[in-house]
Amino acid sequence: MGVLKVSKSIEYTYFPGCTIPFRLPHFELTMREVLKNLNVELITDEGHTCCPEPTTFPGVDIEAWFTIGARNIAVSESSRRDTVALCSGCFHTLSVVKHTLKTDSNLRDRVNKRLKKAGMEATGEVTVKNILHVLHEDVGLDLIAKKITHPLNGLSLASHYGCHLVRPIEATHMDDAENPRWMEDLVKLVGAKPVEYRDKMACCGAPIGPSDESKSFKLTAQKLQKIREAGADAIVLICPTCYTQLETQQRKAVEHLDPEFSMPVLYLGEMLALAMGQTDLVVSNARRYHRVKIEPLLEKIGVGE
Amino acid sequence: VKIPEILVLAKVRGLLSGNTPQTALDRARAILSEGRTILVSEPMLKTREKMGLPSLGTPPIEQLGKILKELGTIERVESAESSYGGAESE
């Protein structure tokens, strides 16, 4: 499957979603600042609502899921810019709804009948991107490399993609469904060593939490163990739900295995900010948003010395 | 038939038989009433302001409500809430 070649753009319509702007705003802060450094701006549109989230809402009402998703697509289409979602769940919903609008004319007609009453229409023509499309494909590795002032030499980082960023590939237009490499390319670019580990594409465990918390944490613990066995200093990821599961809930997930277990987790924007010398953005919010201490990582790369 | 279609069907059957997790219904309820999965508090807004992040406004709930009324989504969620935890045999 070929990678979709996307148009170059300096401004994107930013789809904020719910979790990043209100629970993990340091994700948005670090990525906005990193993008500014790369001459990219995120423009907010107040017409967007929840995407809606893809793990539970389709089971409650899948037609409503498509309809609300299509409404958000219609808002994005009216902006005439490519849309970027920092959240993997939002990206998944928007890209799947967009793809379905393009390929299923029956659904498109049904949904648009409802949207018409609000004076809206969704065609599926808008380009929906995640942050890897923006960084890897639009901005490009060459330009990012020029902005690296503080290489993260000596750090070994395991990339975690999660479930919603990559699949289904006909809708997400990522590089590879089984073994995506775009995040590893960025890890290498910032001077760190990408760590290969078993079952890289396995779920973090979060989606089954509402049904069975203990099974959910079992999956989380297995994932964390495999990453530790592979020799990583930390995990780097994009998805806020995965972050909550692997970082915020880490203590709970591993308590029955090893109470001393500790695996720091960095958001991709934090990793880039550190490498671009925007360290204050990370350090000033570390205590509030990182339950697993990142100080050992910072010491290793000479921050705060 | 695609595997995701089977999974969605299983979720829908879970809903119809009263076995949808309460968290899923709470999230759906929040989306229908707030336009977001989480209730935005004053401290959350202040944190954004302190960080210099732009305001995101209030989601257009009235418009969303009109669109969803026709679909019967609100009634569906209410019905699932009233049957939560039961009807294993269905």
Side-chain angles (χ1 to χ4, degrees), chain B residues 2 5 8 11 40 59 61 64 66 68 72 74 81 83 85 89-90:
Chain B
K2 292 176 182 170
E5 290 172 348
V8 168
K11 284 183 182 179
V40 178
I61 293 301
L64 198 64
K66 275 183 194 164
L68 294 174
I74 296 163
E81 280 172 339
S83 65
S89 57
E90 280 182 40

Side-chain angles (χ1 to χ4, degrees), chain A residues 55 160 162-163 201-224 241-242 244-246 249 253:
Chain A
T55 50
H160 169 68
C163 302
M201 294 309 288
C203 175
C204 70
I208 60 165
S211 310
D212 190 329
E213 191 181 84
S214 127
K215 275 186 191 151
S216 158
F217 283 142
K218 201 174 166 189
L219 288 178
T220 311
Q222 283 170 354
K223 177 116 206 169
L224 287 165
T241 304
C242 297
T244 305
Q245 188 78 0
L246 292 167
Q249 305 264 48

Side-chain angles (χ1 to χ4, degrees), chain A residues 28 50 55 61 71 117, chain B residues 11 35 48 63 70 76:
Chain A
E28 184 179 337
C50 174
T55 50
D61 191 334
R71 194 198 151 280
K117 290 176 185 164
Chain B
K11 284 183 182 179
R48 285 188 63 80
Q63 189 192 66
E70 188 187 314
R76 201 162 294 129

Side-chain angles (χ1 to χ4, degrees), chain A residues 188-240:
Chain A
K188 230 184 283 174
L189 196 72
V190 299
K193 181 185 162 202
V195 173
E196 305 297 329
Y197 62 97
R198 281 190 296 139
D199 301 327
K200 178 173 91 167
M201 294 309 288
C203 175
C204 70
I208 60 165
S211 310
D212 190 329
E213 191 181 84
S214 127
K215 275 186 191 151
S216 158
F217 283 142
K218 201 174 166 189
L219 288 178
T220 311
Q222 283 170 354
K223 177 116 206 169
L224 287 165
Q225 261 186 324
K226 284 170 189 167
I227 289 172
R228 180 166 71 175
E229 281 165 14
D233 295 309
I235 299 168
V236 61
L237 51 67
I238 287 171
C239 175

Side-chain angles (χ1 to χ4, degrees), chain A residues 125-138:
Chain A
E125 292 297 334
V126 71
T127 303
V128 176
K129 296 175 179 176
N130 63 43
I131 196 60
L132 291 176
H133 292 117
V134 172
L135 293 168
H136 198 284
E137 298 299 280
D138 291 0

Side-chain angles (χ1 to χ4, degrees), chain A:
Chain A
M1 175 95 203
V3 172
L4 178 73
K5 284 293 167 196
V6 283
S7 58
K8 301 285 175 190
S9 176
I10 231 37
E11 287 184 346
Y12 295 88
T13 294
Y14 168 51
F15 186 86
C18 307
T19 307
I20 288 181
F22 300 111
R23 290 213 197 280
L24 300 169
H26 69 300
F27 275 37
E28 184 179 337
L29 177 69
T30 52
M31 195 53 85
R32 272 187 187 276
E33 294 302 317
V34 161
L35 290 175
K36 259 186 219 169
N37 201 3
L38 297 166
N39 199 27
V40 172
E41 204 183 336
L42 303 180
I43 313 286
T44 304
D45 190 317
E46 294 191 2
H48 286 129
T49 64
C50 174
C51 52
E53 59 83 24
T55 50
T56 59
F57 198 84
V60 174
D61 191 334
I62 194 154
E63 195 72 14
W65 183 74
F66 274 118
T67 305
I68 302 175
R71 194 198 151 280
N72 282 318
I73 291 288
V75 171
S76 279
E77 284 175 353
S78 67
S79 80
R80 299 183 182 282
R81 285 183 291 263
D82 293 352
T83 286
V84 60
L86 297 187
C87 167
S88 302
C90 296
F91 167 71
H92 179 89
T93 293
L94 296 180
S95 57
V96 168
V97 169
K98 172 217 144 79
H99 176 76
T100 314
L101 284 168
K102 287 276 283 178
T103 54
D104 184 340
S105 58
N106 283 337
L107 180 121
R108 187 173 62 239
D109 291 346
R110 281 202 313 274
V111 159
N112 275 321
K113 241 182 229 172
R114 293 171 205 131
L115 295 185
K116 202 178 172 186
K117 290 176 185 164
M120 302 174 97
E121 187 189 6
T123 62
E125 292 297 334
V126 71
T127 303
V128 176
K129 296 175 179 176
N130 63 43
I131 196 60
L132 291 176
H133 292 117
V134 172
L135 293 168
H136 198 284
E137 298 299 280
D138 291 0
V139 174
L141 299 183
D142 291 346
L143 178 60
I144 299 171
K146 286 180 190 159
K147 301 285 182 179
I148 305 299
T149 55
H150 295 66
L152 311 184
N153 296 332
L155 276 193
S156 297
L157 299 175
S159 302
H160 169 68
Y161 286 82
C163 302
H164 293 103
L165 196 72
V166 180
R167 298 167 184 158
I169 202 144
E170 60 267 33
T172 65
H173 299 290
M174 285 289 289
D175 54 337
D176 193 293
E178 303 299 328
N179 186 21
R181 306 298 304 172
W182 284 351
M183 205 149 26
E184 282 86 347
D185 289 346
L186 289 168
V187 167
K188 230 184 283 174
L189 196 72
V190 299
K193 181 185 162 202
V195 173
E196 305 297 329
Y197 62 97
R198 281 190 296 139
D199 301 327
K200 178 173 91 167
M201 294 309 288
C203 175
C204 70
I208 60 165
S211 310
D212 190 329
E213 191 181 84
S214 127
K215 275 186 191 151
S216 158
F217 283 142
K218 201 174 166 189
L219 288 178
T220 311
Q222 283 170 354
K223 177 116 206 169
L224 287 165
Q225 261 186 324
K226 284 170 189 167
I227 289 172
R228 180 166 71 175
E229 281 165 14
D233 295 309
I235 299 168
V236 61
L237 51 67
I238 287 171
C239 175
T241 304
C242 297
Y243 183 85
T244 305
Q245 188 78 0
L246 292 167
E247 208 280 352
T248 317
Q249 305 264 48
Q250 187 178 120
R251 177 68 40 236
K252 226 171 159 183
V254 298
E255 64 188 358
H256 65 286
L257 286 176
D258 173 6
E260 299 299 313
F261 187 97
S262 175
M263 175 60 68
V265 183
L266 289 176
Y267 170 56
L268 184 75
E270 292 182 301
M271 180 194 81
L272 291 166
L274 288 171
M276 290 179 176
Q278 299 168 296
T279 46
D280 278 359
L281 289 172
V282 180
V283 173
S284 61
N285 291 302
R287 190 170 279 186
R288 183 165 185 178
Y289 296 106
H290 286 270
R291 290 195 184 169
V292 181
K293 285 185 178 172
I294 60 168
E295 281 75 4
L297 295 183
L298 299 178
E299 278 168 25
K300 211 165 178 180
I301 56 172
V303 172
E305 280 175 350

